[in-house]
Amino acid sequence: MSKNTTWTKLQLLDLENNSIDAKGAASLSKNKTWTSLQTLGLGNNSIGDKGVIELSKNTTWTNLQRLHLESNSIDAKGAASLSKNKTWINLKTLHLEQNSIGDEGAVSLSKNTSWTNLQTLHLDHNQIGDEGTASLSKNTTWTNLQALHLSFNWIRNEGAAELSKNTTWTNLQILHLDHNQIGEEGAIGLGKNITWTNLQTLNLERNSICDRGTIGLAQNKTWTNLKTLHLTFNEIGDKGATGLAKNTTWTNLHTLYLKGNSICNKGAMGLSKNTSWINLQALHFDRNLIGDEGAVSLSTNTTWTNLQILHLDHNQIGDEGAASLSKNTTWTNLQALNLERNSIGAEGATILSKNTTWAKLQTLKLGINSIGAEGAAALSQNTTWTNLQSLHLENNSIGDEGATELSQNTTWTNLQTLLLNNNSIGGEGAASLSKNATWTNLKTLYLESNLISDEGATKLKRNPRWREDIEIKC
């Protein structure tokens, strides 16, 4: 292939997921014909250092813009050779993730002076630590860099703090530092950054950031364009959440991930008092410990008028919390509410069903609670959620009575997915569901782990009002 002399206009060559070794890469690099080549895909091969060294000697592909070398067993020597390339001056995207370049390789890459147009650099899964990260931060060539991916490395506090001192990447929009070992001092250091005025996405998921670190991040005054902040699975408590809520700079924030921390009711109360995130659209607050008191506090928020997604599953919320949430009149744009794996009973479900604010609600997840037949009956009488498309009620002990009540619903004409797994529903409930005439758009009905016979399943499939291609899982 490399000896081809005909494809003078070739712009894209995808050779990913093959068995190309160093010899193959060396052969490709000698090609003199593909002067118009813009994208070269060599990911998931076996090129190794020797192959990359040969590729980097190429002097023909002056128009190369995108190079994929992920998962190729490249070490520091290969990275060093790449960094010395002087030909690919138009390179915009470089994929080196899932290799083993380490600190030494990162140091070499940071010294590159040719890729002045580089916009996206993928270095995830590369065993890069503080030394390599600090060196990358000192790069002065990549003035057009917009996205830097450093996930799944060995970066600690020192590396994060040094990275924040970078003064070159003024166009940086996306920074991924998730799955590292960044703690409080690293987060505080990042918060002091004054260069990344265009930053829109910061991912710090699965690090070791505690309250002080969170407060340090919240004190940042530079990231006025920040839209998405990932803080999932850190060690943030009430003080950190409260400090975060006091941020007044991120007025463009639209997605906040706080899943899997240790935030209790006081932290939820602190968040509820936020008055700056007027554009917030999604709050992922699942797997915390806010309880009823925290849910009550959140329900009093009057700022997040654009909120569309609210995840509160795994939070020890009971009837009182659910009732308070249902009374919120601010979240008129809410489209998805997740309350699974809480302690909500019939009372909570009944008050939820009376909500008249969430007219745009499309997804409601109440699985693995205790709403019972009474709660199911109350939900079925809701007349507001005319846009509801997905309803999750699995593991709620609703039984035949609850299924029968649900079947009488006449409001959810747009319902597409209904989960009723593990609810002790038998033949009577199945028969009632089969008579429903409202859910004409239903695509999938989940009824596994119930007490429905083959006869009951057959009746369900014969409902003349439902779609012919409906999938019923019993």
Side-chain angles (χ1 to χ4, degrees):
M1 180 181 289
S2 64
K3 295 178 181 179
N4 170 275
T5 57
T6 307
W7 305 334
T8 56
K9 296 182 179 180
L10 187 68
Q11 294 184 13
L12 187 154
L13 179 58
D14 188 351
L15 293 171
E16 296 189 9
N17 300 299
N18 282 290
S19 302
I20 300 171
D21 57 13
K23 289 183 179 180
S27 182
L28 285 170
S29 71
K30 294 175 183 178
N31 175 276
K32 302 294 183 182
T33 303
W34 307 330
T35 55
S36 298
L37 192 66
Q38 294 181 14
T39 301
L40 177 58
L42 290 171
N44 293 289
N45 280 288
S46 303
I47 293 173
D49 284 342
K50 291 182 179 179
V52 171
I53 290 170
E54 293 300 321
L55 277 175
S56 65
K57 294 177 182 178
N58 174 276
T59 57
T60 302
W61 307 329
T62 55
N63 291 300
L64 192 67
Q65 295 181 19
R66 289 169 289 277
L67 178 59
H68 289 257
L69 290 170
E70 63 269 21
S71 299
N72 264 296
S73 302
I74 301 169
D75 294 329
K77 290 182 180 179
S81 181
L82 274 175
S83 69
K84 295 175 183 178
N85 175 276
K86 302 293 183 182
T87 301
W88 308 330
I89 55 176
N90 291 301
L91 192 67
K92 292 182 178 179
T93 302
L94 176 59
H95 285 264
L96 280 171
E97 63 265 33
Q98 293 185 322
N99 283 292
S100 304
I101 71 169
D103 283 335
E104 185 179 349
V107 169
S108 296
L109 286 174
S110 71
K111 295 177 181 178
N112 172 274
T113 57
S114 303
W115 305 333
T116 55
N117 292 299
L118 191 67
Q119 295 179 6
T120 304
L121 179 59
H122 291 262
L123 293 174
D124 316 273
H125 290 274
N126 260 295
Q127 302 172 18
I128 299 171
D130 289 343
E131 181 184 354
T133 306
S135 188
L136 285 171
S137 73
K138 296 173 184 176
N139 172 276
T140 57
T141 301
W142 308 330
T143 55
N144 291 300
L145 192 68
Q146 296 178 14
L148 177 59
H149 297 260
L150 287 168
S151 308
F152 291 92
N153 279 292
W154 299 346
I155 303 169
R156 297 176 180 268
N157 289 331
E158 183 181 347
E162 288 298 316
L163 197 66
S164 71
K165 296 176 184 178
N166 171 274
T167 57
T168 301
W169 308 329
T170 56
N171 293 299
L172 193 68
Q173 296 179 18
I174 299 171
L175 178 59
H176 282 229
L177 290 168
D178 52 289
H179 295 80
N180 278 286
Q181 301 167 38
I182 300 169
E184 290 188 346
E185 298 304 325
I188 291 171
L190 285 170
K192 294 178 181 178
N193 173 271
I194 57 173
T195 301
W196 308 329
T197 55
N198 292 299
L199 192 67
Q200 295 182 19
T201 299
L202 176 60
N203 191 339
L204 289 167
E205 178 181 344
R206 289 187 184 272
N207 279 283
S208 302
I209 300 171
C210 299
D211 289 340
R212 282 186 60 244
T214 308
I215 293 170
L217 281 173
Q219 291 174 355
N220 176 273
K221 304 294 183 183
T222 302
W223 308 329
T224 55
N225 292 298
L226 191 68
K227 293 182 178 179
T228 304
L229 177 60
H230 294 257
L231 290 171
T232 296
F233 288 112
N234 276 284
E235 299 169 13
I236 302 168
D238 288 342
K239 290 182 179 179
T242 301
L244 195 68
K246 293 178 181 178
N247 173 276
T248 56
T249 301
W250 308 331
T251 55
N252 290 302
L253 190 70
H254 68 62
T255 303
L256 176 60
Y257 291 87
L258 286 169
K259 175 181 178 179
N261 281 285
S262 301
I263 303 170
C264 299
N265 60 299
K266 291 183 179 179
M269 182 184 297
L271 283 171
S272 70
K273 295 178 181 179
N274 172 272
T275 56
S276 303
W277 305 334
I278 54 175
N279 292 298
L280 191 68
Q281 296 179 17
L283 176 59
H284 297 262
F285 205 9
D286 35 329
R287 293 181 181 272
N288 279 282
L289 304 164
I290 70 170
D292 281 337
E293 192 173 346
V296 170
S297 294
L298 282 176
S299 71
T300 63
N301 175 273
T302 57
T303 300
W304 307 330
T305 56
N306 292 300
L307 193 68
Q308 297 178 18
I309 299 171
L310 179 59
H311 286 196
L312 292 173
D313 47 299
H314 291 78
N315 257 300
Q316 303 178 4
I317 297 170
D319 289 337
E320 182 184 355
S324 292
L325 288 170
S326 72
K327 296 175 183 177
N328 174 279
T329 57
T330 300
W331 307 330
T332 55
N333 291 298
L334 194 67
Q335 295 179 18
L337 176 61
N338 190 340
L339 288 169
E340 290 186 335
R341 293 182 181 273
N342 279 292
S343 302
I344 300 169
E347 181 183 349
T350 299
I351 300 178
L352 272 175
S353 70
K354 296 177 182 178
N355 172 276
T356 57
T357 301
W358 307 330
K360 297 179 180 180
L361 193 68
Q362 296 179 15
T363 300
L364 176 60
K365 294 185 178 182
L366 281 169
I368 316 180
N369 279 284
S370 305
I371 71 169
E374 183 181 348
L379 288 172
S380 72
Q381 295 172 20
N382 173 275
T383 57
T384 301
W385 307 331
T386 56
N387 292 297
L388 194 67
Q389 296 179 16
S390 183
L391 178 60
H392 294 228
L393 293 176
E394 69 274 18
N395 293 77
N396 263 291
S397 303
I398 70 172
D400 285 337
E401 181 182 351
T404 298
E405 293 289 346
L406 281 174
S407 71
Q408 296 173 17
N409 171 271
T410 58
T411 300
W412 306 329
T413 56
N414 292 300
L415 193 66
Q416 297 179 20
T417 303
L418 177 59
L419 273 71
L420 293 173
N421 304 341
N422 197 22
N423 266 300
S424 301
I425 299 171
E428 181 183 345
S432 295
L433 287 170
S434 71
K435 297 175 184 177
N436 174 275
T438 301
W439 306 332
T440 55
N441 290 298
L442 195 64
K443 294 180 180 180
T444 310
L445 174 59
Y446 293 88
L447 285 164
E448 292 109 326
S449 302
N450 280 293
L451 305 172
I452 300 171
S453 64
D454 292 341
E455 181 182 355
T458 301
K459 286 184 179 180
L460 284 167
K461 293 177 182 178
R462 289 177 178 172
N463 184 322
R465 301 296 182 92
W466 290 353
R467 296 166 56 111
E468 291 184 1
D469 61 347
I470 188 173
E471 183 178 11
I472 299 176
K473 298 185 177 182
C474 291

